[in-house]
Every structure is written in C-alpha cells, then in structure tokens.
Amino acid sequence: MVGSENSINQARDYLAVALDVPSLQVAEETIERLDGEPGWIKIGSQLFTAEGPAVIALAAKRARIFLDLKFHDIPNTVASAVKSGTRLGASLMTLHAVGGVSMLRAAKEAAAEEASRLGVPRPELVAVTVLTSTAEKDLIQVGVAGSLPDQVARLLDLALESGIDGVVSSPLEAAAVRKRAGENFRIVTPGIRPADSAVGDQVRIATPASAIAQGSSLLVMGRPILMAKNPVEAARAAIAEIEDALGRQ
Ligand code: C5P
C-alpha cells in the first residue's frame, strides 16, 4: 500500500545518494542532513581517495554502502580489492566489465569467500559497461571498432557470463538490459533528474518514476539532492516518486 511504512522502506532501498563531496567534514554534515532517508550512500573515488575507510565507517551508521571505485586490474588485484571492500562493510561495489570474464569471476569468488569468512552477507558486484561520458569516437580511439550499443551489449553479456550481480546502465537503456538479463539482475542507473531540476552535465537522463518503469533497481542521485535547498526534502520527494512508481508496477 502506497504510504505505508513498508512501501516507503522498500522505496528507500531503491535510492542511492552519491556522496560526491570533498572531505570527511562535508560528508558528515551531508549525512546528518539526509537524516537516514536514502537506503544507500554511494562513495566514489573522490571522497574515498581523500578520506579512505573513515568515510565508510561514518556512512554505514545511516545507510548501506555502495563503494563505487570501478575496479579494473589483473584478476588477483581486483579480487584482493573486493575482499578489502567486503571487510570495510561495502554492500555493493563496481568494477569495469572490460576487465574481462576472468577478472569478473575472480571478483565474485573473492566477495563470496571473504563474506563467508566474516559471516556477513556477500556484497553485490555490478559492472560498468561503457561510461556514459564515452562517445563512439572515443571507442574508436581505443581500438573498439563496433558501435557503442554493440559494445554495451557485448559487455553486458560478459557480465552475465561471469555470473556477477548486475550492471550500471543509463536509465534509457535499462529496459533493454532488463529484457536481456531477466528479473534477478541488479540494474543501477545514474543520470536521474526530477522533472523540475537542472540537468548539469548528464545527457542521458530520466525521472525517478520513469527509471523505475524502465526496470532500474537502484537509482543514483547526486546533485539534485546534494545541491537542493533542502536535501532531505529532495530525498523524500524522490522516495515518494519511487514508491508511487513501484505501486504502479
Ligand atoms: O550528480 P549526479 O546525479 O549526476 O551524480 C551521478 C553519480 O553517478 C556520480 O557519482 C557519477 O560519478 C556517477 N555515475 C554517472 N554515470 C555513470 C557512472 C557513474 O553519472 N555512467
């Protein structure tokens, strides 16, 4: 039922706020202001490089941790990084599908192994296919001859073959990914903008409601919430829109 504690909590689980801030102090203020509304907090390379594990310990008090460090290295190194992230308490981590099936599989095994050693739930792993900032000419420059949609499809298939949990996708491609990957696949979509907000540098965008309708299972929102006059109100508005969209499914 829309408006019930259950359905609000379910909607909260679909929202990851991107904590794209420069320091632990600003992170702490921001987390305070969000008042536990989002189910997830996404920590990326800017904040993690600046402040390290302390920021995870801080955010984990209020939400599940999405550690967005987009690992891409030899399988052994990525597996070790995933184990470190698991020990820090990350519930979701990203890696680049272009690292290949052996790297993705090694990461998956490492997450399972470390989680079982610690007796904690296994963190989910999702693959970045082609970054939304990449254009076809950039692919050609790095030696990828096919079209951009072909490259996205190829990398999605690698993610599926490796058995990892999902991919990061533009909300505009989420429906196609959902169709190919089926129900039990995490689709993380950045580029979410409420109908009345500034677009910024994102080009492939959707509203929270339309991202849900397209099959997204985790909506990443940064600036529309962080730069809002009242971030907690902006988060609540997004959660209400998600809840409503879930209710219509
Ligand atoms: O501020 P905004 O809502 O655009 O933030 C989106 C977040 O999602 C940022 O942390 C950005 O790094 C991340 N992201 C993205 N596009 C991708 C992958 C991640 O915007 N393809």
Side-chain angles (χ1 to χ4, degrees):
M1 204 183 70
V2 172
S4 74
E5 205 43 45
N6 252 354
S7 70
I8 294 173
N9 283 336
Q10 189 199 9
R12 286 190 175 113
D13 258 352
Y14 278 75
L15 179 64
V17 171
L19 197 55
D20 294 330
V21 300
S23 68
L24 194 65
Q25 195 193 331
V26 183
E28 192 163 9
E29 288 161 12
T30 308
I31 291 166
E32 242 350 86
R33 292 180 79 188
L34 291 171
D35 198 26
E37 286 292 338
W40 295 83
I41 288 181
K42 182 173 91 71
I43 295 164
S45 45
Q46 177 195 11
L47 186 58
F48 193 77
T49 305
E51 301 288 0
V55 81
I56 297 190
L58 181 76
K61 292 182 191 147
R62 304 306 300 264
R64 293 167 82 191
I65 301 297
F66 173 1
L67 186 59
D68 183 20
L69 299 180
K70 300 186 179 69
F71 299 131
H72 179 189
D73 210 313
I74 58 171
N76 185 58
T77 300
V78 168
S80 305
V82 163
K83 284 188 178 179
S84 300
T86 307
R87 285 196 294 278
L88 290 178
S91 297
L92 182 63
M93 288 180 263
T94 47
L95 55 176
H96 274 284
V98 79
V101 169
S102 350
M103 186 199 86
L104 299 172
R105 283 198 183 129
K108 187 191 162 192
E109 279 161 28
E113 218 176 274
E114 193 64 0
S116 110
R117 195 181 69 78
L118 298 169
V120 298
R122 178 180 71 76
E124 283 181 54
L125 299 175
V126 295
V128 174
T129 55
V130 177
L131 289 170
T132 41
S133 53
T134 302
E136 220 150 77
K137 68 169 175 26
D138 302 309
L139 288 181
I140 293 168
Q141 273 179 354
V142 296
V144 175
S147 73
L148 200 145
D150 284 352
Q151 180 67 356
V152 171
R154 182 179 301 124
L155 293 173
L156 169 63
D157 285 347
L158 290 190
L160 288 167
E161 192 185 326
S162 70
I164 63 161
D165 303 282
V167 291
V168 182
S169 151
S170 135
L172 304 184
E173 278 131 33
V177 174
R178 180 61 71 212
K179 195 163 170 229
R180 196 172 182 100
E183 279 313 303
N184 288 327
F185 198 65
R186 175 74 84 175
I187 302 179
V188 178
T189 56
I192 305 297
R193 293 290 178 270
D196 58 351
S197 83
V199 167
D201 57 0
Q202 296 281 16
V203 265
R204 301 170 66 67
I205 57 167
T207 62
S210 88
I212 294 290
Q214 299 297 310
S216 170
S217 50
L218 186 62
L219 284 61
V220 176
M221 292 177 80
R223 288 162 290 180
I225 289 177
L226 300 185
M227 316 285 262
K229 272 205 198 97
N230 187 336
V232 74
E233 280 308 318
R236 283 191 190 124
I239 291 163
E241 191 175 329
I242 292 168
E243 187 194 6
D244 188 59
L246 288 171
R248 274 186 271 114
Q249 277 186 332

